[in-house]
Amino acid sequence: MTIPFQIYSPVEEIVDPFLLNKEISLFIKRDDKIHPFISGNKWRKLKHQLEYAKEHNIKFLVTFGGAWSNHLLATAAAAAQFGFHAIAYVRGEQIRNPILDMCRIYGMELRFVDRNSYRDKAEIFRKNHSADEFLFIDEGGKSELGLIGCSEIVAELPQEYDHIFVAAGTGTTVAGIQLGIQQNNKATKVHAVPVLKGADFLKDQFIEWKIDPKNIILHNDYHFSGYAKVKPELIDFIKSFTCKTGIMIEPTYTGKLMYAVYDLINKDYFKPNSKILVVHTGGITGILGHLDHF
Ligand SMILES: *Cc1c(COP(=O)(O)O)cnc(C)c1O
């Protein structure tokens, strides 16, 4: 059963004298244009999970996330739009912020859980919900169905690229893109910029999904000390990129991604005349948690 949702995600070329100078063509897939809140890769990851729920007549979605989670807001908005009721277990003490407020406006029920209990999400689900009526959606939308949704990005691409870059949290999006590359027999090299420190756990995750970790190049030096951490040079880069291109990026994911791509171009990591595609995975509301830095 398909979910009725037409998406618009064009590929645009980034025009910048720096790129011309380096003889690099840089393109960006605007998954951020899919929806203001059901944004980017979060829609890709939810799509087949919501279809599964519809097919099994499941009306309740149960999911998990931190207080600034793009996934929680995407799930809240998607639940409202497609006729589900969403319950979220939020990590940490009860607080308010613009993301959680918007989740509640969309009708999501928020249940705050201490960090220790939060760790065992399967247990929280088992204790409180029955699987015939409630769909378990993991933190960040991580799942094999999510992987398939993300693989669909590749079939939408208008031309061939030498390299595709995406930010990685759980790794679902990049693994899905690699799956799409394999299925479409493309030679494009797939790269991930992990936003967490010590992201070698991603390799085990790729193996679990039967994706050969050798096929995904991890650039581990762009996490800026860890998840949602920032440094002045990252903030400066985000400001200059955003006002130069009109494409907004934020510090947690797409800022680190673009910073990495520009840094690699600057260091002549790519051959001249390379065509590079970055995937804008959305999540612009994340910037609301970082406004003090700007
Ligand atoms: C959640 C998120 C990611 C991380 O995606 P994974 O599939 O978990 O690797 C990347 N970018 C943005 C904007 C996100 O919100």
Side-chain angles (χ1 to χ4, degrees), residues 41-42 45 70 140 167-174 250 253-254 281-283:
N41 62 348
K42 298 305 184 280
K45 290 193 272 187
N70 295 328
T170 66
T172 310
T173 308
V174 72
E250 47 63 52
Y253 295 101
T254 48
T281 40

Side-chain angles (χ1 to χ4, degrees), residues 16-222:
D16 182 340
F18 165 73
L19 301 169
L20 214 59
N21 215 358
K22 288 285 186 184
E23 298 175 77
I24 295 291
S25 304
L26 183 59
F27 299 85
I28 185 162
K29 173 121 173 99
R30 301 293 306 272
D31 265 15
D32 57 316
K33 292 191 173 182
I34 290 177
H35 186 281
F37 306 121
I38 314 176
S39 118
N41 62 348
K42 298 305 184 280
W43 165 246
R44 306 265 180 200
K45 290 193 272 187
L46 280 171
K47 180 180 169 191
H48 294 293
Q49 299 188 78
L50 298 188
E51 285 173 359
Y52 175 93
K54 287 267 184 224
E55 275 154 24
H56 292 81
N57 210 15
I58 295 173
K59 301 249 173 2
F60 294 89
L61 311 176
V62 175
T63 197
F64 304 83
W68 286 96
S69 165
N70 295 328
H71 165 70
L72 289 191
L73 182 51
T75 305
Q81 184 158 341
F82 304 121
F84 296 99
H85 181 72
I87 299 166
Y89 290 90
V90 186
R91 184 181 61 233
E93 66 286 2
Q94 180 158 0
I95 57 151
R96 279 187 65 184
N97 69 32
I99 303 301
L100 295 177
D101 284 346
M102 284 193 280
C103 287
R104 283 191 294 100
I105 291 167
Y106 276 120
M108 178 176 252
E109 183 187 331
L110 303 177
R111 299 183 183 176
F112 292 85
V113 285
D114 67 84
R115 281 158 203 276
N116 214 14
S117 330
Y118 182 85
R119 272 188 204 113
D120 197 348
K121 299 171 192 75
E123 176 63 14
I124 294 175
F125 185 82
R126 207 168 29 243
K127 268 211 239 144
N128 297 287
H129 307 284
S130 84
D132 344 319
E133 282 182 272
F134 297 82
L135 182 71
F136 174 92
I137 302 179
D138 208 345
E139 187 178 50
K142 179 176 115 176
S143 68
E144 219 147 343
L145 287 174
L147 199 75
I148 293 166
C150 293
S151 76
E152 293 164 9
I153 291 172
V154 176
E156 294 172 17
L157 301 179
Q159 56 164 318
E160 302 280 324
Y161 305 93
D162 300 304
H163 305 274
I164 295 186
F165 273 78
V166 68
T170 66
T172 310
T173 308
V174 72
I177 289 172
Q178 174 57 31
L179 179 67
I181 291 290
Q182 290 166 205
Q183 287 170 340
N184 291 276
N185 292 313
K186 292 190 189 278
T188 313
K189 287 205 178 75
V190 175
H191 301 252
V193 177
V195 300
L196 290 101
K197 199 155 59 181
D200 273 338
F201 70 89
L202 286 174
K203 291 184 186 160
D204 297 328
Q205 185 62 69
F206 297 152
I207 292 167
E208 206 177 293
W209 285 325
K210 302 184 182 63
I211 299 290
D212 187 344
K214 283 199 290 294
N215 292 332
I216 298 177
I217 303 163
L218 297 179
H219 297 273
N220 280 328
D221 301 327
Y222 296 100

